[in-house]
Amino acid sequence: MTEATNPPDEVIAALLRRRPRVALVGASDKPNRPSFGVMRFLLEHGFDVVPVNPLLAGGVIQGQMVVAGLAEAGALDMVDVFRRSEDTGPVVEEAWQLGAQAVWLQLGVVNAAAAIAARAAGALMIQDRCPAIEWPRLALSDSP
């Protein structure tokens, strides 16, 4: 799957400007992990982030209560996935079944079958990208 299968920049920018409520799957409490840094970035830019990690459920990461699964995260707009490509299919399916408007697979994470299914269900699917990189690349601002 190539970059061309992602939505146009304008669509990604509009999604990020909305600051959707995000479930961050694969959240880590280790500051050296990419998911920790992305979660911090999203929180600093006004996103409501729910960390999802069954091994850390009930704990707190960056002031946010960790839940075990997407169903426990409450109403979601976007699911940001930090998992291996081959493990993303069930997460993507659950995300759109729970009503997520967008599913975001992090850098290096691509799942063509999951993308086709998500798009068929009407969900926005972004792969092999990172919101913490896209925000400055798209010259987005914190001011309204």
Side-chain angles (χ1 to χ4, degrees), residues 46-76:
F47 290 77
D48 179 12
V49 182
V50 179
V52 178
N53 185 325
L55 301 176
L56 302 173
V60 175
I61 299 175
Q62 299 186 52
Q64 309 301 309
M65 180 65 69
V66 183
V67 298
L70 287 178
E72 299 163 56
L76 301 170

Side-chain angles (χ1 to χ4, degrees), residues 4-118:
T5 62
N6 280 320
D9 284 352
E10 308 80 57
V11 172
I12 294 172
L15 170 67
L16 292 174
R17 274 191 208 99
R18 270 196 1 247
R19 288 179 179 75
R21 186 164 191 271
V22 178
L24 198 137
V25 176
S28 176
D29 58 358
K30 297 180 175 90
N32 63 329
R33 302 290 298 182
S35 63
F36 189 93
V38 170
M39 183 174 168
R40 180 178 52 235
F41 179 90
L42 292 172
L43 289 168
E44 288 173 352
H45 288 280
F47 290 77
D48 179 12
V49 182
V50 179
V52 178
N53 185 325
L55 301 176
L56 302 173
V60 175
I61 299 175
Q62 299 186 52
Q64 309 301 309
M65 180 65 69
V66 183
V67 298
L70 287 178
E72 299 163 56
L76 301 170
D77 299 312
M78 182 173 103
V79 176
D80 191 359
V81 184
F82 285 85
R83 302 282 304 273
R84 293 184 308 214
S85 296
E86 60 269 19
D87 297 332
T88 59
V91 176
V92 172
E93 182 176 346
E94 183 179 13
W96 59 260
Q97 285 179 349
L98 290 171
Q101 303 290 311
V103 179
W104 194 300
L105 303 183
Q106 281 294 321
L107 291 177
V109 183
V110 176
N111 185 322
I116 290 167

